[in-house]
Amino acid sequence: MLLQKRVILKISKTLISQKEIENKIAEIADLINSKYKGEELVVVGILKGAFIVVSDLAKQLDIDVTFDFMSIKSYYGSESSGQIKIVKDLEYDISNKNVLIVEDIYDTGLTLSNLKKLLESRNPKTIEIFCMFVKKGVSKDPTEIDYSGFEIGSDFVVGYGLDYNGKYRELPYLAVLS
Ligand code: IMP
Ligand code: MG
């Protein structure tokens, strides 16, 4: 097990350290605690990538919060709008609730903008988005993101929930495969 871990570490280069990630989560948790003080919040984690962000954030929240998860698949056909398919839906009814979507990474933004539209159609009281990593790009418009962890370049990244063929999600830092 230990040996396998060493092999994984060798093929990745750290882009954002564990400490930087911890500090950022604490900073964003403070914003969320202030914003939703005295209110109820439903945190909606997007599986699988957001499972680590949600669990780290959860431990820093001191508000009235419940957690739910959704799993979606995005399709990128010739249409630029993209489509999402629900693989696992929410358990709770979010109508009239404050909803915070937590996502791992924003690349083209299609997943998040489609998901936001879908959840808005269920009439939540409010809806906000926390995305841990946001890829910079000229054709993208990440204005819909209310809390953004780190802006990164266009490299394919792994770790802190993000995978390459299902692997590397467990790394406590963000890495570029090298
Ligand atoms: P978008 O719809 O293009 O914004 O895609 C977002 C989804 O693509 C994320 O939820 C990830 O699952 C995946 N993704 C995009 N970029 C990366 C990356 O660099 N590493 C791992 N997964 C990524
Ligand atoms: Mg994802």
Side-chain angles (χ1 to χ4, degrees):
M1 190 59 204
L2 210 79
L3 188 68
Q4 205 181 0
K5 200 99 183 176
R6 284 206 196 104
V7 174
I8 289 170
L9 294 182
K10 264 187 202 158
I11 60 166
S12 56
K13 182 184 103 202
T14 304
L15 193 65
I16 301 173
S17 71
Q18 182 170 5
K19 190 72 206 153
E20 287 174 283
I21 289 175
E22 278 170 17
N23 292 342
K24 184 63 75 174
I25 291 282
E27 204 181 287
I28 287 171
D30 279 351
L31 296 175
I32 293 167
N33 283 328
S34 316
K35 168 99 190 200
Y36 295 100
K37 196 173 179 188
E39 304 252 353
E40 262 184 79
L41 178 67
V42 182
V43 168
V44 171
I46 308 306
L47 297 173
K48 299 175 187 166
F51 79 109
I52 292 182
V53 195
V54 171
S55 72
D56 281 353
L57 178 73
K59 290 174 273 181
Q60 311 261 351
L61 295 179
D62 61 3
I63 48 173
D64 184 356
V65 63
T66 51
F67 297 90
D68 207 343
F69 292 90
M70 251 181 126
S71 175
I72 54 179
K73 281 224 173 319
S74 305
Y75 293 101
Y76 307 96
S78 48
E79 294 284 308
S80 62
S81 62
Q83 291 290 326
I84 54 169
K85 182 182 164 231
I86 299 174
V87 177
K88 182 216 167 287
D89 207 340
L90 295 175
E91 188 182 325
Y92 300 128
D93 178 1
I94 56 163
S95 64
N96 213 25
K97 303 281 187 193
N98 297 309
V99 172
L100 177 69
I101 299 172
V102 178
E103 173 63 313
D104 49 8
I105 194 164
Y106 182 105
D107 185 3
T108 64
L110 291 176
T111 305
L112 270 176
S113 62
N114 282 299
L115 180 68
K116 192 178 181 194
K117 274 184 225 142
L118 177 87
L119 295 186
E120 270 169 346
S121 73
R122 298 182 184 181
N123 304 311
K125 184 173 164 195
T126 63
I127 188 158
E128 287 196 310
I129 297 177
F130 165 28
C131 189
M132 192 59 191
F133 306 106
V134 178
K135 286 190 179 177
K136 281 177 265 177
V138 277
S139 63
K140 299 165 197 169
D141 178 21
T143 51
E144 61 210 331
I145 297 176
D146 303 279
Y147 310 92
S148 134
F150 298 92
E151 270 206 357
I152 59 170
S154 56
D155 284 339
F156 191 85
V157 289
V158 294
Y160 204 66
L162 289 158
D163 73 306
Y164 172 67
N165 283 344
K167 304 285 186 188
Y168 308 109
R169 293 192 197 274
E170 73 285 5
L171 299 178
Y173 50 84
L174 191 74
V176 179
L177 291 182
S178 52

